Amino acid sequence: NPRLVQFQNSIRFPNNRVDHKFTDTLYTNENLNLKAQFVWSPYIGELMYTTLYPLRTIERPPSMIVMGCGTYSMQQYNTTALDHVTEYATNLSRLVQSMDILSERKTRVIWNLQESVNEKTLSSEYEMITNQVIDAYNKAAIETLSHSDVTIWSSSRLIASGRLSDMRHGLFVHPKCLDIDVQLLLNVYCNDHMNFNDATCCATPEQHSSSQVVVYTAFLICIILTCILTLKQSVKFLYEEPTYAYIVISSLGKLGLILTYFYLCDRTNFFMKENKYYSQVSFWLPIGYVFVLGVFFTEDSRYIKILNRDQTDEWKGCMQLILVISHMTGARTQLSILNHMRIFASSYLFLSGFGHFYYMWHRPDSGLARYLQVLFRLNALTVLCCVAMNRPYQFYYFVPLVTFWFSLLYLVLQAPPRGNGTARYLYMGLKLLALSGLTAVLYISEVFFEKIFVTRPWKALFVTTDDDIHDWWMRWKLDRYSFLYGCVFSLCLILVQKFNLIDDNTYSNLFSTKLTLVSLFIALIALCLNSTFAMLCSEAECTELHSYTVIVPILSYIVIRNISGRLRTRYSSLFTGLGRISLELYITQSHIFTAADTHGILTLLPEYPVLNSLLTCFIFICVAHELHEIMLTLMPYCVPQDSKTALRNFLIFLFIFIPLGVSDGMF
């Protein structure tokens, strides 16, 4: 950036002077909205004091003040420089009050320690400035400023020490070191104002919001009550069942502890973060390892139907595991892998559409209470994380997608006409066709799409923190038919089972041996062709065609997995177990496995990457499992089977969150 180079040069060489005699200078750049002023004050004296003092009361104080001096004092006092360290510290202490006042006004005050010198090449003019004297002055500065709000800048010394041999006259820092120093100063300020995709940028921790204070205070109360009740009634619980109040409060207490761990890991600098670095080995090795484990834990299923519960949970768990590994290793930067990850995400939506449609078609209890229970299951933890972690609903973008399509499906199933017998199938087919048409209309007209989804009060559910709906549009567009594919497949499967076109009530193959082999061959060819296309297509082509082609690998996998009775009735208990907590795995991975808004990796054990991965993975899975159990425990109390009671609780929940909605601009 030419402007940045110009700015750096203005700091390195004020007034274009390259010797050691500087004068005051001012640099402004309207395009960068930048104003940098250099004040030449080689001694801690009246000039430095009178420069700082007026800044305390001006309307807009500087964003950053960088100060430092010492070498001229050392040169002035010559051989008695060490004797004047106390005077140096005393003069510096006069500035502390002004520095602290400026810090309270959000000005970042930085004191730069003096760099080491190359004593071997020091000219006679500077031979009195030794590293011993410099260390004494720096120590005095650190001790004087240790109890103030001033930031001590010591990294510049390390940078300069790397090029001691290049110092001019053995004293003046090399220009390349100054370039790095300037870049560090820019980072210190700019990183707090940029949407960087980096886990290690030196940004200050995010400030907590009032909503976070309220939520964590409530959780703290629950934790305290849990401890009191546990100590008070521990003996009683050995003989009696815990009361409902204890179950709810203790569950909320455990939930509060977990969310506190989330906050420490992702919203503070308590734990380190590191960047992701993709390599073929780091991605494929863990995938191969977990697949071997998955095969090892294979066992017989008690279900024999097509896409039975064990099988769909296994599918979800397997995909979620690969998605987590891709996030951990940064593999999503590779287009071919990203395209396959998109297929997995679409498959999850397909399974959601299939599962919800199949359940609500066969179960008479799929009324309002069932709808609210599913909403609670999908969104309770998500909403709590939104508030506790101060993130928008779209941060967990997959949950809004599933919630949106499930809500539409519920409306379609409940809307008249519903019919009976054959008419029921006809009406449902027409409804799904109408829903597909509406989806196509929304896709064709992005303006119409935005008008619908940026309408208050639900606008806050679909926009990011930048008040932008583009992310929701892209994700909705990419998987606009995936949920519908699942519903249509479910309806077709119900029809096939009703008219006994296939028999999946036995352990045998669905078709004859010859037809089974042909079907397997076609499915394998289709799967390979689709995978080849995903690896070779450009990003624009894959994005444009994804919603149409994604059904090919999904149906191919279903054929391969179900056409054989042996494969249909076997499953991996490892993947199935992970599939049952896949929602919690998806939500929690952003905070306690990856970190820095998924841009980095949480580091609990620095310098031990393999051990760190194992530890964070173990905690990650345990926490997800515990959250799953907590949500299942709370659901009957929050959303009971009675529709009226469930609706009442839902309205109470909305009333509680009205203040949050007002702060987010929903009303």
Side-chain angles (χ1 to χ4, degrees):
N1 190 324
R3 297 193 187 100
L4 184 58
V5 172
Q6 183 184 2
F7 170 58
Q8 290 176 319
N9 289 335
S10 71
I11 293 180
R12 283 169 44 194
F13 309 125
N15 278 356
N16 297 320
R17 300 286 297 275
V18 295
D19 58 4
H20 62 280
K21 302 295 184 182
F22 297 112
T23 57
D24 296 354
T25 187
L26 178 66
Y27 174 85
T28 58
N29 192 311
E30 295 182 358
N31 293 319
L32 294 176
N33 193 23
L34 178 68
K35 179 181 178 181
Q37 184 177 6
F38 177 82
V39 178
W40 174 239
S41 179
Y43 308 103
I44 302 179
E46 200 64 28
L47 175 59
M48 195 174 287
Y49 181 79
T50 55
T51 302
L52 275 184
Y53 190 83
L55 298 178
R56 306 190 310 180
T57 55
I58 63 175
E59 183 178 353
R60 294 183 60 187
S63 301
M64 181 187 300
I65 298 176
V66 184
M67 307 171 65
C69 68
T71 53
Y72 274 80
S73 298
M74 302 172 200
Q75 185 183 20
Q76 177 187 7
Y77 294 118
N78 203 338
T79 57
T80 62
L82 282 173
D83 299 331
H84 289 80
V85 171
T86 304
E87 181 183 345
Y88 175 83
T90 302
N91 292 338
L92 181 58
S93 64
R94 292 183 60 205
L95 304 176
V96 171
Q97 184 181 15
S98 296
M99 291 175 172
D100 286 343
I101 292 175
L102 286 166
S103 296
E104 291 175 0
R105 300 191 64 192
K106 308 303 180 183
T107 295
R108 188 156 193 169
V109 183
I110 299 174
W111 183 267
N112 183 26
L113 298 180
Q114 299 300 295
E115 293 86 356
S116 301
V117 297
N118 188 351
E119 296 182 3
K120 295 180 181 179
T121 59
L122 276 175
S123 61
S124 58
E125 184 182 0
Y126 308 116
E127 61 183 5
M128 71 293 299
I129 306 175
T130 64
N131 287 325
Q132 180 186 4
V133 176
I134 290 174
D135 290 342
Y137 273 67
N138 285 338
K139 182 180 179 181
I142 293 172
E143 291 176 351
T144 303
L145 301 174
S146 59
H147 300 292
S148 68
D149 294 327
V150 179
T151 301
I152 302 295
W153 185 12
S154 58
S155 60
S156 62
R157 296 192 69 207
L158 299 176
I159 295 169
S161 63
R163 304 198 65 154
L164 287 177
S165 59
D166 297 327
M167 283 185 166
R168 186 162 53 90
H169 304 305
L171 175 68
F172 296 102
V173 177
H174 192 273
K176 289 187 177 180
C177 296
L178 292 177
D179 287 340
I180 298 174
D181 290 342
V182 172
Q183 189 61 56
L184 286 175
L185 290 175
L186 288 172
N187 288 349
V188 167
Y189 175 74
C190 296
N191 285 350
D192 286 334
H193 303 275
M194 295 173 63
N195 294 322
F196 51 84
N197 295 331
D198 193 299
T200 57
C201 282
C202 46
T204 55
E206 185 177 293
Q207 294 294 317
H208 57 264
S209 65
S210 57
S211 301
Q212 287 176 294
V213 173
V214 172
V215 167
Y216 282 109
T217 301
F219 279 130
L220 178 61
I221 294 173
C222 291
I223 293 170
I224 295 173
L225 289 176
T226 301
C227 295
I228 294 173
L229 291 175
T230 302
L231 293 174
K232 186 177 180 180
Q233 304 187 31
S234 56
V235 178
K236 183 179 178 181
F237 288 156
L238 295 175
Y239 308 99
E240 300 178 8
E241 289 292 326
T243 61
Y244 292 157
Y246 176 79
I247 293 174
V248 173
I249 292 174
S250 62
S251 297
L252 291 175
K254 288 188 287 185
L255 184 59
L257 287 174
I258 292 173
L259 290 178
T260 302
Y261 177 66
F262 282 16
Y263 188 87
L264 286 175
C265 290
D266 201 30
R267 298 272 79 86
T268 70
N269 291 332
F270 189 81
F271 294 113
M272 295 176 62
K273 288 90 176 174
E274 63 182 19
N275 286 328
K276 306 173 186 178
Y277 298 100
Y278 170 76
S279 68
Q280 296 282 353
V281 174
S282 65
F283 176 67
W284 291 108
L285 185 62
I287 287 181
Y289 179 73
V290 296
F291 264 88
V292 170
L293 282 178
V295 173
F296 181 78
F297 284 99
T298 300
E299 56 188 68
D300 290 324
S301 173
R302 58 193 180 96
Y303 304 107
I304 58 176
K305 292 283 188 180
I306 294 175
L307 285 184
N308 57 67
R309 173 67 185 277
D310 288 336
Q311 192 181 130
T312 54
D313 284 340
E314 177 198 72
W315 193 353
K316 291 178 182 178
C318 180
M319 292 188 298
Q320 185 61 50
L321 200 58
I322 297 175
L323 288 169
V324 166
I325 293 173
S326 71
H327 279 294
M328 179 186 70
T329 58
R332 296 173 71 88
T333 57
Q334 308 299 308
L335 181 59
S336 59
I337 296 177
L338 175 62
N339 290 333
H340 285 85
M341 297 304 107
R342 287 175 172 177
I343 294 174
F344 291 158
S346 300
S347 300
Y348 199 104
L349 273 174
F350 174 91
L351 290 175
S352 297
F354 169 83
H356 289 306
F357 186 95
Y358 199 87
Y359 179 91
M360 289 191 285
W361 183 273
H362 288 97
R363 297 295 181 92
D365 61 342
S366 55
L368 180 61
R370 164 69 182 176
Y371 171 71
L372 294 177
Q373 285 175 347
V374 174
L375 285 190
F376 178 87
R377 178 77 182 87
L378 287 172
N379 292 278
L381 179 60
T382 307
V383 171
L384 283 173
C385 284
C386 288
V387 180
M389 305 303 290
N390 196 26
R391 285 296 175 267
Y393 188 50
Q394 279 298 314
F395 182 77
Y396 312 93
Y397 67 90
F398 198 78
V399 175
L401 270 177
V402 178
T403 303
F404 171 77
W405 286 111
F406 171 72
S407 298
L408 282 183
L409 175 63
Y410 176 78
L411 292 176
V412 166
L413 288 172
Q414 298 299 320
R418 302 175 69 175
N420 293 307
T422 306
R424 185 185 182 193
Y425 294 94
L426 177 61
Y427 288 142
M428 183 51 61
L430 293 175
K431 288 179 183 180
L432 291 177
L433 184 62
L435 185 57
S436 301
L438 176 61
T439 303
V441 170
L442 288 174
Y443 169 68
I444 292 171
S445 177
E446 186 175 353
V447 176
F448 181 47
F449 179 91
E450 290 187 1
K451 284 185 178 180
I452 291 177
F453 289 103
V454 297
T455 302
R456 300 180 190 277
W458 54 75
K459 172 186 175 182
L461 301 176
F462 302 106
V463 297
T464 60
T465 50
D466 300 327
D467 204 34
D468 185 14
I469 201 172
H470 180 71
D471 286 353
W472 169 248
W473 160 250
M474 290 300 298
R475 287 157 181 162
W476 179 90
K477 180 178 70 172
L478 196 66
D479 287 311
R480 61 187 181 275
Y481 295 124
S482 300
F483 195 93
L484 288 174
Y485 288 149
C487 296
V488 172
F489 180 83
S490 182
L491 181 61
C492 293
L493 181 62
I494 292 170
L495 282 169
V496 167
Q497 291 172 341
K498 177 179 175 61
F499 294 104
N500 295 319
L501 298 179
I502 59 172
D503 184 12
D504 59 354
N505 292 314
T506 65
Y507 289 88
S508 60
N509 297 342
L510 295 179
F511 306 116
S512 63
T513 303
K514 183 177 180 180
L515 189 56
T516 297
L517 292 175
V518 171
S519 301
L520 283 173
F521 178 76
I522 294 174
L524 285 171
I525 292 296
L527 203 60
C528 292
L529 289 176
N530 185 268
S531 183
T532 303
F533 173 75
M535 289 188 289
L536 298 179
C537 67
S538 65
E539 184 174 5
E541 290 174 338
C542 288
T543 301
E544 187 66 27
L545 298 175
H546 174 82
S547 59
Y548 306 109
T549 61
V550 71
I551 191 61
V552 175
I554 292 175
L555 291 180
S556 299
Y557 177 79
I558 292 174
V559 170
I560 295 171
R561 190 70 177 81
N562 289 274
I563 199 169
S564 168
R566 180 65 176 169
L567 289 176
R568 190 173 67 252
T569 57
R570 299 277 293 176
Y571 76 103
S572 170
S573 57
L574 174 64
F575 293 148
T576 300
L578 294 174
R580 286 172 184 159
I581 60 171
S582 58
L583 177 65
E584 289 76 16
L585 289 173
Y586 168 75
I587 295 171
T588 59
Q589 69 172 341
S590 303
H591 304 300
I592 61 172
F593 192 63
T594 57
D597 291 341
T598 72
H599 298 310
I601 299 295
L602 179 66
T603 304
L604 301 179
L605 298 174
E607 300 181 5
Y608 299 96
V610 176
L611 192 58
N612 179 72
S613 297
L614 293 175
L615 178 61
T616 53
C617 185
F618 175 75
I619 296 174
F620 167 52
I621 294 175
C622 290
V623 167
H625 180 271
E626 187 63 27
L627 286 172
H628 178 78
E629 295 298 322
I630 290 173
M631 291 297 113
L632 291 181
T633 301
L634 291 175
M635 188 167 68
Y637 301 101
C638 297
V639 191
Q641 292 291 341
D642 180 62
S643 296
K644 292 183 179 179
T645 308
L647 182 60
R648 180 204 64 190
N649 292 354
F650 178 71
L651 293 176
I652 293 174
F653 172 81
L654 289 182
F655 179 78
I656 292 173
F657 272 83
I658 283 177
L660 179 63
V662 171
S663 64
D664 281 344
M666 293 180 68
F667 304 102

